[in-house]
Amino acid sequence: MDRPLPTLRGEPLQITILGAGIAGLAAATLLARTGHRVELLDERFVIPAVGTVLGLFRPAQEVLRRLGVLEAAQELAAAPERGTLRAADGRVLADLPSGGALLLSRSVLVRLLQEALPVEVRTETRRIQDVRPLRDRADLLIGADGVHSLVRRSGWPGRPAARSHGMTVLRGTTDAPPPEISETWGGGWLFGITPLAGIGTNWFACIPEHRTPTTRASLEHLRTVVGGHRPAIDEVLAAAAPERTLVHGIHTAPAVLPVREGTVLLGDAAHAMAPNLGHGANTALADAAALAEALAEAPGPSAALRSYALRRTLPGQAWRLGSAMMMRLAMLETGAPLRDRLLGGAPLSGPSGRGS
Ligand SMILES: Cc1cc2nc3c(=O)[nH]c(=O)nc-3n(C[C@H](O)[C@H](O)[C@H](O)COP(=O)(O)OP(=O)(O)OC[C@H]3O[C@@H](n4cnc5c(N)ncnc54)[C@H](O)[C@@H]3O)c2cc1C
């Protein structure tokens, strides 16, 4: 924040946003609406082909309301009231109230956010290799460029790159209705089943890292790891198809203060987290709203960035750390029976509350 920025009042900022994911799209709309000149760059403005589901909680829904897309999101989302956390043998370990979360397809959310973009936002499809020209021509550069953020790696020298956690995540959708709403923790794997609005199932799984040449082979490998434990999982995996499955690793961002010299990080660029608490997109939306508010309320842009850092650093890092802890607990291999016993309050033998 050494470089003085023009004051907001009476003088709109020239803002460049790198990354048109959930964070960048939301920020572009909110900032353009407050009168800033916004350009939004991404290497691809596409709607994800496989629409796996994101859980969006009340604070994120409030941001969607401000963006003018909440009603559409509500119409297109599933909103189950509860699900269960289960052990590999089907025992119910915990009842999980949804907390009013909307389960919305990522494709639908991105489409709604793209449609909400004001026409004044200048968009450009280009892969950026060097952020210096962007920084030079803008009053404020926003890095909303995801977990491997070039903006973070360029502007925060000495910070390590994103860290891999040695896991493989598979997720997908099917057209069959979900046999149940659950997350099952095995020994060293997890499998989740949620509804996909309309009629369909969203599923996700996490297993120790396993590289295969094709998605089909990854799906086959998943069946060998998690198959045969619970009929509900077998049913979902029988319907899963490679063309509706995504496979990737889990990477998290290093801890950073998300503001620096006319540059600010939002979303995964600032605090990419393990998916286990389902809060990455929620936090990205909260970041975008907080930055727009800070720029509108603070006496000048430098003060706005300080205010943003004060408001968003702790929540972002808390979710990042909490998600990592939850990932370790969910993926426990040795000691999983003890974990399940503590969670479920059941004896190690003689399962109670056994599910499907
Ligand atoms: C399995 C899984 C389940 C999840 N479930 C949930 C959930 O239930 N609820 C939830 O809140 N969150 C969830 N998340 C997290 C959520 O998906 C992310 O936190 C969120 O999408 C991050 O959005 P973003 O805009 O910060 O980054 P991204 O979506 O990664 O967007 C970054 C954008 O920057 C662009 N970009 C990057 N570098 C460049 C470059 N050099 N040049 C040009 N363009 C560039 C990319 O093309 C991309 O469009 C989940 C994540 C995973 C992996």
Side-chain angles (χ1 to χ4, degrees), residues 19 22-23 42-43 54-55 106 128 145 171 268 278-282:
I22 293 164
D42 203 300
E43 59 186 318
L54 295 168
R106 183 186 299 266
I128 302 300
D145 49 343
R171 47 195 174 131
D268 276 10
H279 255 77
N282 285 265

Side-chain angles (χ1 to χ4, degrees), residues 226-264:
V226 308
H229 290 281
R230 303 200 46 234
I233 296 177
D234 293 343
E235 184 182 326
V236 171
L237 279 181
E243 59 277 13
R244 288 177 67 177
T245 300
L246 300 172
V247 185
H248 53 85
I250 294 185
H251 291 86
T252 55
V256 291
L257 187 70
V259 299
R260 196 181 172 102
E261 296 169 0
T263 307
V264 56

Side-chain angles (χ1 to χ4, degrees), residues 322-347:
S323 302
M325 284 167 61
M326 187 59 95
M327 176 179 66
R328 279 197 279 277
L329 187 65
M331 294 297 288
L332 259 190
E333 205 157 351
T334 325
L338 178 61
R339 174 201 64 197
D340 296 353
R341 187 181 175 189
L342 290 173
L343 281 171

